[in-house]
Amino acid sequence: MAERSYTSREELDQYGFHPGVTVMAPLVCILLQAMLPKTFPWLIHIDLPLIATIFFAVSRRSPIAGTVTGTLIGLFQDGLTNHPFGVDGIAKGVVGYVAASIGFAVDVDNIINRIGLVFTLSMAQSGLLYVIAHWLLGDVSYRFLPVVELISAAANCVVAIPMFAVLDRFRIRD
Amino acid sequence: MREVAARGCCVTMDSFFYRFRNPLVLIAIVLMQVIALAMQVQRPGKDADVPVSARAMEDAGSAPDGKHVSLLRRWTVTAMTPLETAVHSSSVKVRGAWGNYVDLLHTRQQDAALKQEVARLRVEEASFAEDAAQGRRLQTLLDFRQHYVTSTVAAQVIGTSGSERSHVLYLDKGSEDGLKPEMAVITPDGVVGKIRDVFPHTSQLLLISDSSSGAGVILASTRIRGIVKGTATGRVEIDNLTADSRIKVGELVVTSGGDLVFPRGLPVGTIESIAPDPLHQPYTAIVIKTAANLNRLEEVLVITGTSATLPPTAAQDAATAEATQDANQRAADLIAEKLPGLHTDGDAAPGAAGTPAVGADGKPVSDDPESQVGGAVGYINSGLPRPKPAVHPDKFTPGTVPPATELTPGAPASQQAPQKPQEQ
């Protein structure tokens, strides 16, 4: 008879990563995000750093780690734009927190759940960016374009599935 | 009792912080960034050497950062650009190998086509030279300050911002190559944007399609002035003009030079559509199709120097073009001179009274028919056979019919005064 223990889902599915992977994976995502649209302009609608943020947050299942990871990735992205520091930092920090919190409740290894999670959080990030630009920075020219955001979220889902599969190989069970 | 109460309070506080540590950390991090945002928006880089007129129509997105923000951005760019440069140079090498050794199929045809293009452009240049010279003379008369591009630095695009809301590119040239903020960036097709931030070996190019970008423009045919701006969706628009029936789709838009960033007369694009702007009534949203393809930029030119006078090389080109124009004019005159039928009676044809004919060698040509091999009397030798004078002139002899101006409509032919045959 198999032994069973009263271990929580958090303890069961909590993963860690090698420090090299923790640093290099987001860095490669940001690099690709900066370089690919030069050759393929339509790839600008895909947000690879967002996918990395979601992946690390749901794998670690720690809201604090998710918030810090998302914030750092977002701030790094802000450094490459002409926006003030903090726009992407706030958005991705919140996304990391929410992703890690959802990771407690659902099985994030399920492909359907992953698609739903990435789609929802992509839309949430778009909404957060609109709120930050429109209300915090007072940029009235910034518009929320639902169709564009839906397409971006769908594209993120398409890219996220193989990317999660690749990154899963680097997970270490804590 | 007090100790117990204090201990209980501490335990309660500890348990509160422990219980809500996750949202508290999130709130603290978000709050810090909100404060940082407020400070950055409040204090854009005032220490930068930016013209006041240019600053008037830009916001924090296009202005250089403050010192602390600039330092953070420098660290980020310094961490990222070596990787971008390495990847870019590798791809350039691969593409170069392909282009130089493999993809040479249509080189000869392209060479021939380019030679034809050069010949055509030379002719066009010569025809424009006189207009340009006249324009310069008029500008001098009006004391108008034209800024000519004297020096440029070619730079390659190595990366983007990676954000669809930030239309920024990274160039492989920086302050060590002479680049400075607010320098205009162009391609042979037209305006691209301006330099926003400069680092030692890289620089940040703000495209005109960015929502924080702007440039003074003028509509080429109607001469209406406006300000072209980018939008959040990446379109380029003029949104400060009211409805005007003279503005048509397809009209060329060029820089006006009023922003002190872009030299006057650089093509920006053509008008793609004109529609009422629902958010800014009564203004219209005039969408511009940019002359340069902003989505496919590989190499750009940064304008590092302008001058009020024509640069030496351009002046030499203009002189050459003018000389070509003069040579063409002389050739045209020579041909016209060899076609006597083109001269009217009022023209001072060579050989006419007071204007002695001059030969190709510059010597006067004699009116004596015997001294000419061919051609009409008074004209330089055309090499064509000249008919001998008629011994018995009749009504068919050239010169016997009076000119049409002296004929009376409806009168019988017998009443028309016959002209005396030309004596030769």
Side-chain angles (χ1 to χ4, degrees), chain A residues 33-34 39 45 64 76 78-85 89 142-143, chain B residues 22 33 40 61 73 80 84 160 162 164-166 170 206 210 233 279 296:
Chain A
Q33 184 72 32
T39 314
H45 296 295
I64 293 175
F76 207 99
D78 283 329
L80 295 174
T81 67
N82 59 331
H83 299 150
F85 276 93
Y142 193 98
R143 292 175 197 174
Chain B
N22 291 338
Q33 290 183 88
Q40 290 172 74
R73 215 177 286 281
M80 190 55 68
E84 288 180 334
T160 70
E164 57 187 326
R165 300 169 304 281
S166 174
Y170 282 87
L206 184 73
D210 190 86
T233 54
L279 295 178
R296 294 270 182 188

PDB file of all heavy atoms in Angstrom, chain A residues 33-34 39 45 64 76 78-85 89 142-143, chain B residues 22 33 40 61 73 80 84 160 162 164-166 170 206 210 233 279 296:
ATOM      1  N   GLN A  33      13.317  39.605 -26.905  1.00  0.00           N
ATOM      2  CA  GLN A  33      12.240  40.591 -27.037  1.00  0.00           C
ATOM      3  C   GLN A  33      12.754  41.886 -27.677  1.00  0.00           C
ATOM      4  O   GLN A  33      12.038  42.551 -28.417  1.00  0.00           O
ATOM      5  CB  GLN A  33      11.678  40.904 -25.640  1.00  0.00           C
ATOM      6  CG  GLN A  33      10.498  41.845 -25.611  1.00  0.00           C
ATOM      7  CD  GLN A  33       9.234  41.192 -26.136  1.00  0.00           C
ATOM      8  OE1 GLN A  33       9.050  40.003 -25.976  1.00  0.00           O
ATOM      9  NE2 GLN A  33       8.382  41.965 -26.779  1.00  0.00           N
ATOM     10  N   ALA A  34      14.005  42.214 -27.404  1.00  0.00           N
ATOM     11  CA  ALA A  34      14.578  43.444 -27.964  1.00  0.00           C
ATOM     12  C   ALA A  34      15.089  43.260 -29.389  1.00  0.00           C
ATOM     13  O   ALA A  34      15.111  44.212 -30.170  1.00  0.00           O
ATOM     14  CB  ALA A  34      15.721  43.924 -27.073  1.00  0.00           C
ATOM     15  N   THR A  39      13.764  42.298 -36.915  1.00  0.00           N
ATOM     16  CA  THR A  39      13.633  41.512 -38.140  1.00  0.00           C
ATOM     17  C   THR A  39      12.171  41.164 -38.422  1.00  0.00           C
ATOM     18  O   THR A  39      11.746  41.194 -39.571  1.00  0.00           O
ATOM     19  CB  THR A  39      14.458  40.214 -38.016  1.00  0.00           C
ATOM     20  OG1 THR A  39      15.741  40.542 -37.487  1.00  0.00           O
ATOM     21  CG2 THR A  39      14.644  39.550 -39.368  1.00  0.00           C
ATOM     22  N   HIS A  45       4.238  42.162 -30.478  1.00  0.00           N
ATOM     23  CA  HIS A  45       3.011  41.918 -29.707  1.00  0.00           C
ATOM     24  C   HIS A  45       3.174  40.786 -28.698  1.00  0.00           C
ATOM     25  O   HIS A  45       2.326  40.610 -27.831  1.00  0.00           O
ATOM     26  CB  HIS A  45       1.850  41.607 -30.661  1.00  0.00           C
ATOM     27  CG  HIS A  45       1.497  42.757 -31.558  1.00  0.00           C
ATOM     28  ND1 HIS A  45       0.998  43.941 -31.075  1.00  0.00           N
ATOM     29  CD2 HIS A  45       1.591  42.919 -32.888  1.00  0.00           C
ATOM     30  CE1 HIS A  45       0.786  44.775 -32.074  1.00  0.00           C
ATOM     31  NE2 HIS A  45       1.154  44.176 -33.189  1.00  0.00           N
ATOM     32  N   ILE A  64       5.989  36.426  -2.736  1.00  0.00           N
ATOM     33  CA  ILE A  64       7.061  37.420  -2.576  1.00  0.00           C
ATOM     34  C   ILE A  64       8.103  37.230  -3.680  1.00  0.00           C
ATOM     35  O   ILE A  64       8.536  38.193  -4.328  1.00  0.00           O
ATOM     36  CB  ILE A  64       7.711  37.292  -1.177  1.00  0.00           C
ATOM     37  CG1 ILE A  64       6.695  37.704  -0.117  1.00  0.00           C
ATOM     38  CG2 ILE A  64       8.957  38.149  -1.092  1.00  0.00           C
ATOM     39  CD1 ILE A  64       7.158  37.521   1.296  1.00  0.00           C
ATOM     40  N   PHE A  76      13.962  46.058 -15.684  1.00  0.00           N
ATOM     41  CA  PHE A  76      14.962  45.883 -16.738  1.00  0.00           C
ATOM     42  C   PHE A  76      14.365  46.260 -18.101  1.00  0.00           C
ATOM     43  O   PHE A  76      15.004  46.913 -18.920  1.00  0.00           O
ATOM     44  CB  PHE A  76      15.441  44.424 -16.761  1.00  0.00           C
ATOM     45  CG  PHE A  76      16.819  44.259 -17.301  1.00  0.00           C
ATOM     46  CD1 PHE A  76      17.903  44.127 -16.456  1.00  0.00           C
ATOM     47  CD2 PHE A  76      17.050  44.255 -18.666  1.00  0.00           C
ATOM     48  CE1 PHE A  76      19.182  43.990 -16.965  1.00  0.00           C
ATOM     49  CE2 PHE A  76      18.322  44.112 -19.176  1.00  0.00           C
ATOM     50  CZ  PHE A  76      19.396  43.985 -18.334  1.00  0.00           C
ATOM     51  N   ASP A  78      11.936  48.370 -18.524  1.00  0.00           N
ATOM     52  CA  ASP A  78      11.775  49.829 -18.518  1.00  0.00           C
ATOM     53  C   ASP A  78      13.073  50.535 -18.917  1.00  0.00           C
ATOM     54  O   ASP A  78      13.038  51.591 -19.555  1.00  0.00           O
ATOM     55  CB  ASP A  78      11.362  50.311 -17.121  1.00  0.00           C
ATOM     56  CG  ASP A  78       9.890  50.048 -16.836  1.00  0.00           C
ATOM     57  OD1 ASP A  78       9.095  50.076 -17.793  1.00  0.00           O
ATOM     58  OD2 ASP A  78       9.550  49.814 -15.668  1.00  0.00           O
ATOM     59  N   GLY A  79      14.192  49.922 -18.529  1.00  0.00           N
ATOM     60  CA  GLY A  79      15.484  50.531 -18.846  1.00  0.00           C
ATOM     61  C   GLY A  79      15.761  50.609 -20.335  1.00  0.00           C
ATOM     62  O   GLY A  79      16.544  51.446 -20.781  1.00  0.00           O
ATOM     63  N   LEU A  80      15.101  49.748 -21.107  1.00  0.00           N
ATOM     64  CA  LEU A  80      15.337  49.752 -22.561  1.00  0.00           C
ATOM     65  C   LEU A  80      14.356  50.651 -23.310  1.00  0.00           C
ATOM     66  O   LEU A  80      14.485  50.839 -24.512  1.00  0.00           O
ATOM     67  CB  LEU A  80      15.233  48.327 -23.108  1.00  0.00           C
ATOM     68  CG  LEU A  80      16.296  47.347 -22.602  1.00  0.00           C
ATOM     69  CD1 LEU A  80      15.996  45.940 -23.094  1.00  0.00           C
ATOM     70  CD2 LEU A  80      17.674  47.770 -23.050  1.00  0.00           C
ATOM     71  N   THR A  81      13.358  51.150 -22.606  1.00  0.00           N
ATOM     72  CA  THR A  81      12.365  52.004 -23.265  1.00  0.00           C
ATOM     73  C   THR A  81      12.659  53.475 -22.962  1.00  0.00           C
ATOM     74  O   THR A  81      13.653  53.796 -22.319  1.00  0.00           O
ATOM     75  CB  THR A  81      10.950  51.663 -22.777  1.00  0.00           C
ATOM     76  OG1 THR A  81      10.852  52.042 -21.399  1.00  0.00           O
ATOM     77  CG2 THR A  81      10.638  50.191 -22.928  1.00  0.00           C
ATOM     78  N   ASN A  82      11.754  54.335 -23.421  1.00  0.00           N
ATOM     79  CA  ASN A  82      11.869  55.750 -23.067  1.00  0.00           C
ATOM     80  C   ASN A  82      10.859  56.115 -21.982  1.00  0.00           C
ATOM     81  O   ASN A  82      10.617  57.280 -21.734  1.00  0.00           O
ATOM     82  CB  ASN A  82      11.656  56.632 -24.304  1.00  0.00           C
ATOM     83  CG  ASN A  82      10.308  56.422 -24.930  1.00  0.00           C
ATOM     84  OD1 ASN A  82       9.734  55.351 -24.841  1.00  0.00           O
ATOM     85  ND2 ASN A  82       9.788  57.440 -25.587  1.00  0.00           N
ATOM     86  N   HIS A  83      10.274  55.092 -21.357  1.00  0.00           N
ATOM     87  CA  HIS A  83       9.326  55.349 -20.277  1.00  0.00           C
ATOM     88  C   HIS A  83      10.077  55.543 -18.964  1.00  0.00           C
ATOM     89  O   HIS A  83      11.205  55.072 -18.820  1.00  0.00           O
ATOM     90  CB  HIS A  83       8.378  54.152 -20.109  1.00  0.00           C
ATOM     91  CG  HIS A  83       7.557  53.876 -21.325  1.00  0.00           C
ATOM     92  ND1 HIS A  83       7.117  52.622 -21.663  1.00  0.00           N
ATOM     93  CD2 HIS A  83       7.119  54.700 -22.299  1.00  0.00           C
ATOM     94  CE1 HIS A  83       6.424  52.695 -22.775  1.00  0.00           C
ATOM     95  NE2 HIS A  83       6.424  53.942 -23.188  1.00  0.00           N
ATOM     96  N   PRO A  84       9.434  56.146 -17.988  1.00  0.00           N
ATOM     97  CA  PRO A  84      10.062  56.225 -16.671  1.00  0.00           C
ATOM     98  C   PRO A  84      10.181  54.830 -16.062  1.00  0.00           C
ATOM     99  O   PRO A  84       9.379  53.940 -16.369  1.00  0.00           O
ATOM    100  CB  PRO A  84       9.088  57.089 -15.856  1.00  0.00           C
ATOM    101  CG  PRO A  84       8.153  57.700 -16.816  1.00  0.00           C
ATOM    102  CD  PRO A  84       8.146  56.854 -18.039  1.00  0.00           C
ATOM    103  N   PHE A  85      11.170  54.642 -15.191  1.00  0.00           N
ATOM    104  CA  PHE A  85      11.323  53.353 -14.506  1.00  0.00           C
ATOM    105  C   PHE A  85      10.124  53.120 -13.595  1.00  0.00           C
ATOM    106  O   PHE A  85       9.736  54.018 -12.835  1.00  0.00           O
ATOM    107  CB  PHE A  85      12.602  53.360 -13.669  1.00  0.00           C
ATOM    108  CG  PHE A  85      13.821  53.019 -14.464  1.00  0.00           C
ATOM    109  CD1 PHE A  85      14.580  54.016 -15.041  1.00  0.00           C
ATOM    110  CD2 PHE A  85      14.203  51.705 -14.635  1.00  0.00           C
ATOM    111  CE1 PHE A  85      15.700  53.712 -15.781  1.00  0.00           C
ATOM    112  CE2 PHE A  85      15.325  51.392 -15.372  1.00  0.00           C
ATOM    113  CZ  PHE A  85      16.080  52.389 -15.951  1.00  0.00           C
ATOM    114  N   GLY A  89       7.672  47.697 -14.254  1.00  0.00           N
ATOM    115  CA  GLY A  89       8.031  47.149 -12.942  1.00  0.00           C
ATOM    116  C   GLY A  89       6.795  46.889 -12.099  1.00  0.00           C
ATOM    117  O   GLY A  89       6.641  45.801 -11.511  1.00  0.00           O
ATOM    118  N   TYR A 142      -2.673  57.423 -24.554  1.00  0.00           N
ATOM    119  CA  TYR A 142      -2.616  55.963 -24.409  1.00  0.00           C
ATOM    120  C   TYR A 142      -4.026  55.395 -24.459  1.00  0.00           C
ATOM    121  O   TYR A 142      -4.895  55.834 -23.708  1.00  0.00           O
ATOM    122  CB  TYR A 142      -1.945  55.589 -23.092  1.00  0.00           C
ATOM    123  CG  TYR A 142      -1.556  54.138 -22.999  1.00  0.00           C
ATOM    124  CD1 TYR A 142      -0.267  53.741 -23.273  1.00  0.00           C
ATOM    125  CD2 TYR A 142      -2.478  53.168 -22.654  1.00  0.00           C
ATOM    126  CE1 TYR A 142       0.086  52.406 -23.201  1.00  0.00           C
ATOM    127  CE2 TYR A 142      -2.131  51.830 -22.581  1.00  0.00           C
ATOM    128  CZ  TYR A 142      -0.836  51.459 -22.852  1.00  0.00           C
ATOM    129  OH  TYR A 142      -0.491  50.134 -22.783  1.00  0.00           O
ATOM    130  N   ARG A 143      -4.261  54.460 -25.345  1.00  0.00           N
ATOM    131  CA  ARG A 143      -5.596  53.882 -25.498  1.00  0.00           C
ATOM    132  C   ARG A 143      -5.543  52.374 -25.318  1.00  0.00           C
ATOM    133  O   ARG A 143      -4.584  51.736 -25.718  1.00  0.00           O
ATOM    134  CB  ARG A 143      -6.165  54.204 -26.881  1.00  0.00           C
ATOM    135  CG  ARG A 143      -6.468  55.669 -27.044  1.00  0.00           C
ATOM    136  CD  ARG A 143      -6.918  55.983 -28.440  1.00  0.00           C
ATOM    137  NE  ARG A 143      -6.815  57.407 -28.694  1.00  0.00           N
ATOM    138  CZ  ARG A 143      -7.034  57.964 -29.871  1.00  0.00           C
ATOM    139  NH1 ARG A 143      -7.355  57.223 -30.901  1.00  0.00           N
ATOM    140  NH2 ARG A 143      -6.918  59.266 -30.031  1.00  0.00           N
TER     141      ARG A 143
ATOM    142  N   ASN B  22       2.919  38.634   2.429  1.00  0.00           N
ATOM    143  CA  ASN B  22       2.901  38.657   0.960  1.00  0.00           C
ATOM    144  C   ASN B  22       2.271  39.940   0.406  1.00  0.00           C
ATOM    145  O   ASN B  22       2.914  40.643  -0.377  1.00  0.00           O
ATOM    146  CB  ASN B  22       2.160  37.430   0.426  1.00  0.00           C
ATOM    147  CG  ASN B  22       2.937  36.154   0.673  1.00  0.00           C
ATOM    148  OD1 ASN B  22       4.149  36.192   0.864  1.00  0.00           O
ATOM    149  ND2 ASN B  22       2.255  35.028   0.700  1.00  0.00           N
ATOM    150  N   GLN B  33       7.726  52.130  -6.279  1.00  0.00           N
ATOM    151  CA  GLN B  33       7.813  52.426  -7.717  1.00  0.00           C
ATOM    152  C   GLN B  33       6.901  53.590  -8.110  1.00  0.00           C
ATOM    153  O   GLN B  33       7.240  54.377  -8.993  1.00  0.00           O
ATOM    154  CB  GLN B  33       7.455  51.173  -8.531  1.00  0.00           C
ATOM    155  CG  GLN B  33       8.528  50.102  -8.413  1.00  0.00           C
ATOM    156  CD  GLN B  33       8.220  48.894  -9.264  1.00  0.00           C
ATOM    157  OE1 GLN B  33       8.587  48.846 -10.417  1.00  0.00           O
ATOM    158  NE2 GLN B  33       7.542  47.933  -8.686  1.00  0.00           N
ATOM    159  N   GLN B  40      10.254  60.917 -11.281  1.00  0.00           N
ATOM    160  CA  GLN B  40      10.792  60.991 -12.646  1.00  0.00           C
ATOM    161  C   GLN B  40       9.947  61.899 -13.537  1.00  0.00           C
ATOM    162  O   GLN B  40      10.474  62.666 -14.343  1.00  0.00           O
ATOM    163  CB  GLN B  40      10.827  59.593 -13.272  1.00  0.00           C
ATOM    164  CG  GLN B  40      11.861  58.680 -12.655  1.00  0.00           C
ATOM    165  CD  GLN B  40      11.706  57.269 -13.181  1.00  0.00           C
ATOM    166  OE1 GLN B  40      12.064  56.992 -14.310  1.00  0.00           O
ATOM    167  NE2 GLN B  40      11.169  56.390 -12.367  1.00  0.00           N
ATOM    168  N   GLY B  61       8.708  61.710 -22.296  1.00  0.00           N
ATOM    169  CA  GLY B  61       9.132  60.538 -23.053  1.00  0.00           C
ATOM    170  C   GLY B  61      10.237  60.809 -24.039  1.00  0.00           C
ATOM    171  O   GLY B  61      11.043  59.941 -24.343  1.00  0.00           O
ATOM    172  N   ARG B  73      19.486  53.750 -16.459  1.00  0.00           N
ATOM    173  CA  ARG B  73      19.280  53.352 -17.850  1.00  0.00           C
ATOM    174  C   ARG B  73      20.607  52.971 -18.490  1.00  0.00           C
ATOM    175  O   ARG B  73      20.681  52.053 -19.295  1.00  0.00           O
ATOM    176  CB  ARG B  73      18.615  54.494 -18.625  1.00  0.00           C
ATOM    177  CG  ARG B  73      17.640  53.990 -19.682  1.00  0.00           C
ATOM    178  CD  ARG B  73      16.941  55.095 -20.387  1.00  0.00           C
ATOM    179  NE  ARG B  73      15.911  55.769 -19.643  1.00  0.00           N
ATOM    180  CZ  ARG B  73      14.677  55.298 -19.455  1.00  0.00           C
ATOM    181  NH1 ARG B  73      14.340  54.132 -19.945  1.00  0.00           N
ATOM    182  NH2 ARG B  73      13.792  55.972 -18.769  1.00  0.00           N
ATOM    183  N   MET B  80      22.865  45.161 -21.745  1.00  0.00           N
ATOM    184  CA  MET B  80      22.151  44.539 -22.857  1.00  0.00           C
ATOM    185  C   MET B  80      22.853  44.713 -24.210  1.00  0.00           C
ATOM    186  O   MET B  80      22.874  43.782 -25.022  1.00  0.00           O
ATOM    187  CB  MET B  80      20.744  45.135 -22.917  1.00  0.00           C
ATOM    188  CG  MET B  80      19.809  44.431 -23.864  1.00  0.00           C
ATOM    189  SD  MET B  80      19.647  42.657 -23.562  1.00  0.00           S
ATOM    190  CE  MET B  80      18.798  42.657 -22.004  1.00  0.00           C
ATOM    191  N   GLU B  84      23.467  42.421 -27.761  1.00  0.00           N
ATOM    192  CA  GLU B  84      22.789  42.799 -29.007  1.00  0.00           C
ATOM    193  C   GLU B  84      23.803  43.012 -30.123  1.00  0.00           C
ATOM    194  O   GLU B  84      23.601  42.585 -31.263  1.00  0.00           O
ATOM    195  CB  GLU B  84      21.972  44.074 -28.794  1.00  0.00           C
ATOM    196  CG  GLU B  84      20.724  43.859 -27.960  1.00  0.00           C
ATOM    197  CD  GLU B  84      19.934  45.139 -27.752  1.00  0.00           C
ATOM    198  OE1 GLU B  84      20.531  46.224 -27.810  1.00  0.00           O
ATOM    199  OE2 GLU B  84      18.735  45.044 -27.518  1.00  0.00           O
ATOM    200  N   THR B 160      15.775  46.879 -30.464  1.00  0.00           N
ATOM    201  CA  THR B 160      14.602  47.715 -30.211  1.00  0.00           C
ATOM    202  C   THR B 160      14.378  47.806 -28.699  1.00  0.00           C
ATOM    203  O   THR B 160      15.104  47.199 -27.919  1.00  0.00           O
ATOM    204  CB  THR B 160      13.351  47.106 -30.865  1.00  0.00           C
ATOM    205  OG1 THR B 160      12.998  45.916 -30.151  1.00  0.00           O
ATOM    206  CG2 THR B 160      13.600  46.749 -32.318  1.00  0.00           C
ATOM    207  N   GLY B 162      11.769  46.599 -27.369  1.00  0.00           N
ATOM    208  CA  GLY B 162      11.069  45.372 -26.993  1.00  0.00           C
ATOM    209  C   GLY B 162       9.678  45.629 -26.455  1.00  0.00           C
ATOM    210  O   GLY B 162       9.039  44.718 -25.940  1.00  0.00           O
ATOM    211  N   GLU B 164       5.808  47.413 -27.342  1.00  0.00           N
ATOM    212  CA  GLU B 164       5.003  47.983 -28.424  1.00  0.00           C
ATOM    213  C   GLU B 164       4.547  49.402 -28.108  1.00  0.00           C
ATOM    214  O   GLU B 164       4.033  50.088 -28.971  1.00  0.00           O
ATOM    215  CB  GLU B 164       3.795  47.093 -28.716  1.00  0.00           C
ATOM    216  CG  GLU B 164       2.903  46.834 -27.541  1.00  0.00           C
ATOM    217  CD  GLU B 164       1.822  45.814 -27.853  1.00  0.00           C
ATOM    218  OE1 GLU B 164       1.351  45.779 -28.992  1.00  0.00           O
ATOM    219  OE2 GLU B 164       1.459  45.058 -26.941  1.00  0.00           O
ATOM    220  N   ARG B 165       4.723  49.826 -26.869  1.00  0.00           N
ATOM    221  CA  ARG B 165       4.334  51.186 -26.503  1.00  0.00           C
ATOM    222  C   ARG B 165       5.489  52.163 -26.591  1.00  0.00           C
ATOM    223  O   ARG B 165       5.304  53.361 -26.453  1.00  0.00           O
ATOM    224  CB  ARG B 165       3.769  51.207 -25.077  1.00  0.00           C
ATOM    225  CG  ARG B 165       2.555  50.343 -24.891  1.00  0.00           C
ATOM    226  CD  ARG B 165       2.201  50.179 -23.436  1.00  0.00           C
ATOM    227  NE  ARG B 165       3.313  49.650 -22.644  1.00  0.00           N
ATOM    228  CZ  ARG B 165       3.655  48.363 -22.606  1.00  0.00           C
ATOM    229  NH1 ARG B 165       2.985  47.486 -23.305  1.00  0.00           N
ATOM    230  NH2 ARG B 165       4.674  47.948 -21.870  1.00  0.00           N
ATOM    231  N   SER B 166       6.685  51.656 -26.794  1.00  0.00           N
ATOM    232  CA  SER B 166       7.865  52.516 -26.834  1.00  0.00           C
ATOM    233  C   SER B 166       8.575  52.319 -28.175  1.00  0.00           C
ATOM    234  O   SER B 166       9.199  51.288 -28.408  1.00  0.00           O
ATOM    235  CB  SER B 166       8.799  52.146 -25.681  1.00  0.00           C
ATOM    236  OG  SER B 166       9.991  52.865 -25.775  1.00  0.00           O
ATOM    237  N   TYR B 170      17.924  51.053 -30.902  1.00  0.00           N
ATOM    238  CA  TYR B 170      19.296  51.247 -30.421  1.00  0.00           C
ATOM    239  C   TYR B 170      20.267  51.214 -31.593  1.00  0.00           C
ATOM    240  O   TYR B 170      20.166  50.338 -32.457  1.00  0.00           O
ATOM    241  CB  TYR B 170      19.648  50.182 -29.379  1.00  0.00           C
ATOM    242  CG  TYR B 170      19.033  50.516 -28.043  1.00  0.00           C
ATOM    243  CD1 TYR B 170      17.748  50.104 -27.737  1.00  0.00           C
ATOM    244  CD2 TYR B 170      19.701  51.315 -27.125  1.00  0.00           C
ATOM    245  CE1 TYR B 170      17.156  50.446 -26.540  1.00  0.00           C
ATOM    246  CE2 TYR B 170      19.118  51.665 -25.927  1.00  0.00           C
ATOM    247  CZ  TYR B 170      17.857  51.238 -25.635  1.00  0.00           C
ATOM    248  OH  TYR B 170      17.266  51.598 -24.457  1.00  0.00           O
ATOM    249  N   LEU B 206      14.794  57.790 -30.906  1.00  0.00           N
ATOM    250  CA  LEU B 206      13.344  57.909 -30.708  1.00  0.00           C
ATOM    251  C   LEU B 206      12.699  58.120 -32.068  1.00  0.00           C
ATOM    252  O   LEU B 206      12.945  59.125 -32.733  1.00  0.00           O
ATOM    253  CB  LEU B 206      13.049  59.099 -29.790  1.00  0.00           C
ATOM    254  CG  LEU B 206      11.592  59.290 -29.405  1.00  0.00           C
ATOM    255  CD1 LEU B 206      11.154  58.234 -28.395  1.00  0.00           C
ATOM    256  CD2 LEU B 206      11.371  60.676 -28.830  1.00  0.00           C
ATOM    257  N   ASP B 210       6.744  57.478 -32.191  1.00  0.00           N
ATOM    258  CA  ASP B 210       6.520  57.364 -30.756  1.00  0.00           C
ATOM    259  C   ASP B 210       5.582  58.469 -30.291  1.00  0.00           C
ATOM    260  O   ASP B 210       5.609  59.591 -30.815  1.00  0.00           O
ATOM    261  CB  ASP B 210       7.848  57.455 -30.006  1.00  0.00           C
ATOM    262  CG  ASP B 210       7.683  57.109 -28.544  1.00  0.00           C
ATOM    263  OD1 ASP B 210       7.739  55.910 -28.217  1.00  0.00           O
ATOM    264  OD2 ASP B 210       7.490  58.032 -27.731  1.00  0.00           O
ATOM    265  N   THR B 233      -0.443  53.960 -30.989  1.00  0.00           N
ATOM    266  CA  THR B 233      -0.518  52.785 -31.861  1.00  0.00           C
ATOM    267  C   THR B 233       0.596  52.758 -32.900  1.00  0.00           C
ATOM    268  O   THR B 233       0.635  51.855 -33.731  1.00  0.00           O
ATOM    269  CB  THR B 233      -1.875  52.755 -32.582  1.00  0.00           C
ATOM    270  OG1 THR B 233      -2.058  54.002 -33.247  1.00  0.00           O
ATOM    271  CG2 THR B 233      -3.007  52.523 -31.618  1.00  0.00           C
ATOM    272  N   LEU B 279     -11.537  63.100 -30.659  1.00  0.00           N
ATOM    273  CA  LEU B 279     -11.071  63.487 -29.330  1.00  0.00           C
ATOM    274  C   LEU B 279     -10.635  64.950 -29.262  1.00  0.00           C
ATOM    275  O   LEU B 279     -10.548  65.515 -28.176  1.00  0.00           O
ATOM    276  CB  LEU B 279      -9.902  62.589 -28.896  1.00  0.00           C
ATOM    277  CG  LEU B 279     -10.226  61.106 -28.702  1.00  0.00           C
ATOM    278  CD1 LEU B 279      -8.972  60.337 -28.336  1.00  0.00           C
ATOM    279  CD2 LEU B 279     -11.283  60.928 -27.625  1.00  0.00           C
ATOM    280  N   ARG B 296      11.364  48.578 -40.724  1.00  0.00           N
ATOM    281  CA  ARG B 296      12.442  47.784 -41.328  1.00  0.00           C
ATOM    282  C   ARG B 296      13.715  48.600 -41.450  1.00  0.00           C
ATOM    283  O   ARG B 296      14.313  48.666 -42.523  1.00  0.00           O
ATOM    284  CB  ARG B 296      12.022  47.317 -42.726  1.00  0.00           C
ATOM    285  CG  ARG B 296      10.866  46.351 -42.724  1.00  0.00           C
ATOM    286  CD  ARG B 296      11.384  44.943 -42.642  1.00  0.00           C
ATOM    287  NE  ARG B 296      10.291  43.986 -42.688  1.00  0.00           N
ATOM    288  CZ  ARG B 296      10.459  42.707 -42.482  1.00  0.00           C
ATOM    289  NH1 ARG B 296      11.645  42.235 -42.243  1.00  0.00           N
ATOM    290  NH2 ARG B 296       9.439  41.876 -42.506  1.00  0.00           N
TER     291      ARG B 296
END
